[in-house]
Amino acid sequence: MNMDNSPAIAIENLSKTYKGKKRAQVEALKGMSLTVDQGEIFGFLGPNGAGKSTTIKCLVGLIQPTSGSARIKGIPVTQVESRRSMGYLPENPAFYDYLSAEEYLTFVGRTYRMSADQLTTRCREVLRQLELWDARKRPMRGYSKGMVQRVGLAQTLIHDPDVYILDEPMSGLDPIGRALVKEIIIDLKRRGKSVFFSTHITDDVEKVCDQVGVIVQGTLVAVDRVETILRSGVEGYQVHLRTPAGEPAAVIAGITPDRSNGPLAEYAVPCARFNAFMEAVNAAGADVALVETKRRDLEDFFLSLVHDHSPHR
Amino acid sequence: MLNIVRVTLKGIFRDRVFHGILAVAVVFLAIPSVSTLSMRQVTELSITLALSLESFILLLLAVFLGGTSLWKDIERRYTFSVLSLPITRSRYLFGRFLGIALFLILTAAVLGAGALVAVKVVSSGYPPDRPVAWGAIMAAVGFDALKYVFLVAFAVLFSSLSTSFFLPVFGTIAIFLVGGATQQVYDYVHSAAARTMAPLVRQVATLLYYLLPNFSSFDLKVNAIYAVPLDYHGLALTVGYCVIYTSLLLVAAAAIFGRREMK
């Protein structure tokens, strides 16, 4: 098989059933299939307990699926080799806290068979990139949560893999840290790397992802391109017109203004009537101050999917 | 695997529990004066005390390092990041075991040196009737270390099974107690004193004798204290027994750990 042409991640019919207490069975994943192409940023959205971490743990070999298969760059995840071209950040990561960040990254680099020279160079680069350089010699037991999260990111970057699997990468980070992570993900995309990251924060997905998958109750209920979702979610426009001083806002093309705010009048215009409305505005010689797109954002899309697939709706 | 061994050793050397246990070694300083409480066998008592102290420290280290090392990794979620690296679980497990084993051997060497110094000090002041068998003392230290490496393999097996530290720690202590008694029980059930014992009980005891570890053959204290010549053939058999039994335990531990879910 030509590994170079293989998708970054290919999941086929993946299922996982956990055995609970009193022989109860919990279906954490139900026949999930998805593909992440090389160079793609894939956001994996789902509410808590939806099966995001279970999927990721199957991908990195921490748990074995009950059925189905998954491959990283064409190599089955059951083989240790599949992890050579992958970097993984666990949710709420924890590392040998008696080691310093530098020692830990050296340990990680050695498992990827990096040479001593390569390791020294990459350690310096990623520690600086993640703003851990000054703390690199200190044992990690003295690190803040955000610093530990950044060490987690550093260990995924150290061997410069092609595929990144990040479980809630922004959790525990302050706004500056979140911005840094987003910047890193965008940079990875620019360099043709693939990133698969789970989150329940839709804004993160909207800003950095090419594609999004939504998982609810162990079932992948939607996979689509982010821009398609955003485009299909356009519901109309909010048009702001300047009205001459002292005159009441007029009804234009049958649309009455929502509200008047000083010299501005706001009109909620449905998509289907937008052209007719604008023609009437031009004909009346009205002054357009602002046109805003009114659309359902990713959060609305996500919430509606969760609502539709919830067993308690 | 060397990478895991290295990290394991670093972890042990930086562990406060280890520092506390090693502090017990200060008691070596008291051996010369305590030995003089024996009127006639001052040197013999010093050898007994030195080897017993060394053995006690190694036991504590074997139980706590062996029983908690793997459990701590799982409990503190270190395994999530380590086992997702390109390392097989069996390599990780063997690396952990080797790190602890290497540390026990190093500690035995250091404590053994301390024991030799203590005995030397005592024997200079109170020359014994028989010459001190330095070789037998070193062999006693070496085989003691081997016994505790063997015990660590049990701790690793229990850790691969258990989600808490109770089984690894208390299971290992139980194995230590049982392993020290198996030979005596076997000798008893096959002696004239046990003639009235039910045959089934005798058969069960014999079966357990073969299944459970036998630590008595690792005990060379009598040889060291009374300068009894060593039985090299018997020692070779003990080493072989230890290697084979430890290997089987580790293979079983790797098989169990390989299937374990890191939820």
Side-chain angles (χ1 to χ4, degrees):
Chain A
M1 179 180 281
N2 183 358
M3 305 300 175
D4 288 336
N5 295 330
S6 307
I9 298 170
I11 300 174
E12 279 174 46
N13 253 326
L14 202 70
S15 296
K16 177 68 191 173
T17 305
Y18 289 116
K19 285 176 191 146
K21 285 177 184 168
K22 295 180 184 172
R23 295 188 180 177
Q25 298 210 322
V26 180
E27 273 190 284
L29 278 182
K30 300 167 190 166
M32 191 175 79
S33 299
L34 70 82
T35 303
V36 179
D37 289 325
Q38 291 191 29
E40 188 172 76
I41 312 287
F42 191 98
F44 196 41
L45 269 177
N48 292 333
K52 301 188 296 291
S53 291
T54 299
T55 308
I56 287 179
K57 283 177 185 168
C58 286
L59 287 176
V60 299
L62 289 174
I63 56 176
Q64 281 110 36
T66 311
S67 63
S69 65
R71 290 167 184 269
I72 306 279
K73 294 199 78 182
I75 305 173
V77 294
T78 46
Q79 294 177 20
V80 170
E81 285 306 305
S82 68
R83 295 178 222 151
R84 290 219 169 273
S85 53
M86 179 197 88
Y88 165 58
L89 170 71
E91 184 183 7
N92 300 322
F95 307 108
Y96 293 128
D97 60 4
Y98 50 83
L99 297 180
S100 67
E102 193 172 49
E103 285 173 326
Y104 185 71
L105 291 182
T106 306
F107 161 71
V108 171
R110 282 190 183 132
T111 66
Y112 288 105
R113 299 180 193 149
M114 291 171 75
S115 70
D117 287 347
Q118 249 183 326
L119 245 174
T120 310
T121 312
R122 283 296 293 159
C123 258
R124 189 169 45 233
E125 284 171 6
V126 295
L127 285 169
R128 284 193 194 283
Q129 185 180 11
L130 287 150
E131 295 164 13
L132 290 165
W133 182 252
D134 293 337
R136 72 189 185 281
K137 303 272 186 206
R138 273 170 31 207
M140 287 189 280
R141 66 167 67 99
Y143 284 12
S144 68
K145 195 180 174 198
M147 287 167 85
V148 173
Q149 186 82 358
R150 280 184 275 146
V151 174
L153 278 164
Q155 67 139 14
T156 66
L157 295 166
I158 188 85
H159 59 297
D160 194 27
D162 290 333
V163 182
Y164 293 79
I165 297 177
L166 315 176
D167 199 351
E168 307 276 1
M170 324 281 192
S171 92
L173 294 177
D174 59 18
I176 300 166
R178 295 166 74 90
L180 179 69
V181 174
K182 281 180 201 165
E183 198 181 295
I184 288 170
I185 293 176
I186 290 165
D187 180 55
L188 290 173
K189 179 180 166 55
R190 206 177 297 133
R191 292 169 48 217
K193 310 287 186 181
S194 310
V195 182
F196 178 89
F197 81 89
S198 76
T199 183
H200 48 252
I201 303 166
T202 51
D203 188 53
D204 296 340
V205 175
E206 205 169 310
K207 290 208 167 71
V208 297
C209 290
D210 301 310
Q211 195 156 207
V212 61
V214 179
I215 183 170
V216 182
Q217 306 259 328
T219 305
L220 190 69
V221 295
V223 179
D224 212 336
R225 297 201 68 77
V226 172
E227 60 180 36
T228 309
I229 294 167
L230 294 179
R231 208 183 305 128
S232 66
V234 175
E235 291 172 329
Y237 301 90
Q238 195 74 8
V239 181
H240 302 242
L241 298 179
R242 283 200 182 84
T243 51
E247 284 187 22
V251 174
I252 301 175
I255 297 174
T256 50
D258 275 0
R259 59 186 178 144
S260 291
N261 184 13
L264 291 177
E266 288 180 32
Y267 296 80
V269 186
C271 286
R273 295 171 66 186
F274 182 69
N275 287 341
F277 179 83
M278 290 311 288
E279 279 168 17
V281 167
N282 285 335
D287 186 8
V288 180
L290 181 68
V291 179
E292 288 177 311
T293 310
K294 273 177 63 184
R295 64 179 178 201
R296 285 197 322 158
D297 59 11
L298 204 56
E299 187 163 296
D300 297 324
F301 171 75
F302 170 63
L303 289 174
S304 69
L305 279 173
V306 172
H307 179 257
D308 290 349
H309 292 84
S310 167
H312 308 299
R313 41 185 300 226
Chain B
M1 192 151 65
L2 267 181
N3 210 11
I4 299 282
V5 173
R6 204 180 288 136
V7 163
T8 304
L9 283 172
K10 271 185 188 168
I12 297 170
F13 279 112
R14 294 175 187 179
D15 195 324
R16 282 180 209 138
V17 175
F18 153 66
H19 295 153
I21 292 173
L22 268 200
V24 179
V26 175
V27 179
F28 269 116
L29 297 173
I31 287 176
S33 48
V34 174
S35 299
T36 57
L37 295 174
S38 166
M39 302 299 283
R40 290 182 175 186
Q41 297 185 313
V42 180
T43 304
E44 284 83 351
L45 182 59
S46 73
I47 297 171
T48 308
L49 290 174
L51 291 180
S52 300
L53 178 61
E54 173 260 358
S55 191
F56 177 66
I57 294 173
L58 288 183
L59 171 65
L60 289 181
L61 291 172
V63 169
F64 288 104
L65 293 179
T68 61
S69 173
L70 207 63
W71 167 77
K72 231 191 267 178
D73 276 13
I74 296 168
E75 178 70 13
R76 296 184 181 174
R77 301 157 53 92
Y78 298 155
T79 42
F80 284 2
S81 41
V82 175
L83 295 180
S84 58
L85 297 172
I87 308 171
T88 60
R89 291 196 185 185
S90 50
R91 273 174 184 266
Y92 162 79
L93 199 83
F94 296 153
R96 275 304 206 190
F97 169 76
L98 281 178
I100 298 167
L102 197 62
F103 175 75
L104 281 182
I105 290 166
L106 281 173
T107 308
V110 172
L111 294 178
L116 290 177
V117 171
V119 173
K120 182 72 186 167
V121 169
V122 174
S123 63
S124 307
Y126 302 88
D129 298 336
R130 282 181 296 270
V132 176
W134 298 107
I137 296 176
M138 285 191 269
V141 171
F143 274 79
D144 224 23
L146 207 58
K147 177 174 77 181
Y148 290 115
V149 167
F150 187 10
L151 193 63
V152 168
F154 273 99
V156 168
L157 174 67
F158 293 145
S159 300
S160 69
L161 279 167
S162 173
T163 50
S164 82
F165 73 93
F166 284 101
L167 179 61
V169 170
F170 294 109
T172 308
I173 293 171
I175 286 289
F176 173 74
L177 296 174
V178 167
T182 44
Q183 186 65 51
Q184 287 164 314
V185 171
Y186 179 82
D187 291 344
Y188 172 73
V189 297
H190 288 91
S191 69
R195 214 177 299 142
T196 54
M197 189 179 276
L200 180 67
V201 175
R202 196 176 295 135
Q203 282 167 357
V204 170
T206 307
L207 179 70
L208 287 174
Y209 170 75
Y210 287 111
L211 284 179
L212 293 168
N214 181 353
F215 292 145
S216 60
S217 54
F218 294 84
D219 190 354
L220 303 181
K221 282 195 187 72
V222 171
N223 301 69
I225 297 164
Y226 299 108
V228 177
L230 296 168
D231 169 14
Y232 293 104
H233 178 68
L235 294 183
L237 280 179
T238 302
V239 171
Y241 168 72
C242 178
V243 169
I244 292 169
Y245 206 142
T246 302
S247 306
L248 289 175
L249 290 173
L250 291 177
V251 167
I256 294 164
F257 194 62
R259 286 179 182 79
R260 191 160 170 174
E261 307 249 83
M262 298 294 153
K263 292 182 200 167

